[in-house]
Amino acid sequence: MGRHSRKGPEPAGPEVEAALTNEGDDREGVRPGPGSGRRRRAADAASGADGHTPSRQTGHVRGGHPEQREPGGGWGTGPQQAVPRRQQPVGTRPLIPGPRREFVEAFDAPPAPPGPSVPPTRPTRPAGPTGPADERDERPPRGGDADASASGADGGGARTGREGKSVRGRTFTGIAAAAVTTVLAVVVAGQVAHDSGGTSAAQPTGVDRDGPDGASRSDGRPTPKVARVKPLSYAEKMAKAYPLAPKLHGSGEFEVVPGSAKAPGRGHKYRYRIDVEKGLGLDAALFARAVQETLNDDRSWAHDGAMTFERISSGDPDFVITLASPGTTGDWCQKSGLDTTEDNVSCDSAATERVMINAYRWAQGSSTFGPDELFAYRQMLINHEVGHRLGHNHVSCGTPGALAPVMQQQTKSLNIGGIKCRPNAWVHPGS
């Protein structure tokens, strides 16, 4: 719709009256006053000689449309004196249509005091969680005329032209910058509180939070104690079973257990050496200690000081007590005409210097004593085979329920000839 077709009430005021007064002035170059943009009716103007109403506007534009110079139109009205709204006559309207009231009130705040002219800068980066926001982030952007007022003090009309747009744009930019800064401050504060576990200060990355010396464990938390494995006693080791295959045939090579043990008694002294087959994986020192303590026990052959036993590792022994695999034990027993492979037992190879202790029986025991009497079975095994070396033969139990003699083949059975006896490890069990 063209400007000449604008509808609305006719403008009124001193400017319109001045325009009507100058209507009769036919001088060229005199610009008519501002009009309303509407054609006047015939009753409002005198007709010409030919009955037509002369036009009040002398200027024309190409295309046949009259030139309409309206206040606030495309040509503007030039500078006008601002009249405050409260001083305007009641019932009058401003010459220039003003903006909506809510926009005017938004910029009615008093202007900021003038400050040093600083070129507008943008924050290079938002405030991080480890430091405060930069001062530049908190200053609103300024221009050369940042102190100019954007208030509509001239009766509600906002400034037009370049100056009004610049002030309004800077105001919007300041509001947007303040909103962004507030949002960033809230986000940063929440992140800092989350990272620091509720504390007010953030801590640098890569530093342990607990303890003054960088340790991750706090001072109030007790340090767990390292569990120390208590070494087994001699009795516990003698009561424990060890893995060994029943048909193991070792290398046949022996090594002497180093060390010696003096004979504790006053009787006839027997000197012996301990050899252990290589590769068995058994405790050779435990075996040597068991032999020495068992033979010199008062319940054994050393009873009442009849004899005593001394272990040596060099020199000429009276016999050699040998711990060997089942296969190697069978080889050495065979040299004396004894077959130990049938029941996987031990022997005294009398034709040689060796008293053979089957390592399988030493490690696993026998069903006649059971797993709970391994200690006693090992003591019986030593006493029985050394007894053969001392010249004693096999003896069977003669009283049902009595303790079996130490020279009975208790590894094979406790029931011989229909008489069942109890297992026994000692030559003199009642001592």
Side-chain angles (χ1 to χ4, degrees), residues 179-368:
V180 172
T181 303
T182 303
V183 172
L184 287 177
V186 173
V187 172
V188 170
Q191 184 65 31
V192 170
H194 179 270
D195 293 342
S196 60
T199 60
S200 60
Q203 296 182 359
T205 305
V207 178
D208 293 332
R209 301 174 186 269
D210 298 330
D213 55 352
S216 60
R217 185 179 302 279
S218 61
D219 294 338
R221 181 178 177 182
T223 302
K225 296 181 179 180
V226 179
R228 295 183 178 180
V229 179
K230 182 180 179 180
L232 297 177
S233 64
Y234 167 71
E236 290 172 338
K237 291 179 181 179
M238 288 292 288
K240 180 182 177 181
Y242 301 97
L244 198 138
K247 295 183 179 181
L248 176 65
H249 199 299
S251 63
E253 298 180 3
F254 304 108
E255 57 184 359
V256 178
V257 178
S260 62
K262 297 293 184 179
R266 297 185 304 271
H268 179 75
K269 182 189 293 185
Y270 289 93
R271 304 174 70 197
Y272 70 94
R273 189 182 77 225
I274 298 290
D275 286 359
V276 175
E277 187 176 10
K278 295 179 179 180
L280 291 179
L282 297 176
D283 191 343
L286 175 66
F287 179 71
R289 178 180 178 181
V291 171
Q292 178 71 5
E293 292 191 10
T294 299
L295 292 177
N296 286 289
D297 192 290
D298 189 60
R299 293 169 294 179
S300 186
W301 303 110
H303 178 66
D304 285 342
M307 60 188 70
T308 187
F309 299 88
E310 181 175 300
R311 181 170 73 90
I312 63 175
S313 57
S314 61
D316 188 16
D318 295 319
F319 53 88
V320 179
I321 300 178
T322 306
L323 183 65
S325 64
T328 302
T329 298
D331 294 342
W332 280 87
C333 291
Q334 185 64 37
K335 294 179 180 182
S336 297
L338 302 172
D339 184 8
T340 60
T341 59
E342 183 177 352
D343 297 307
N344 213 0
V345 294
S346 305
C347 80
D348 169 40
S349 182
T352 70
E353 61 178 358
R354 297 188 181 276
V355 176
M356 302 300 299
I357 304 297
N358 191 321
Y360 170 74
R361 291 299 180 183
W362 174 263
Q364 294 290 313
S366 71
S367 59
T368 53

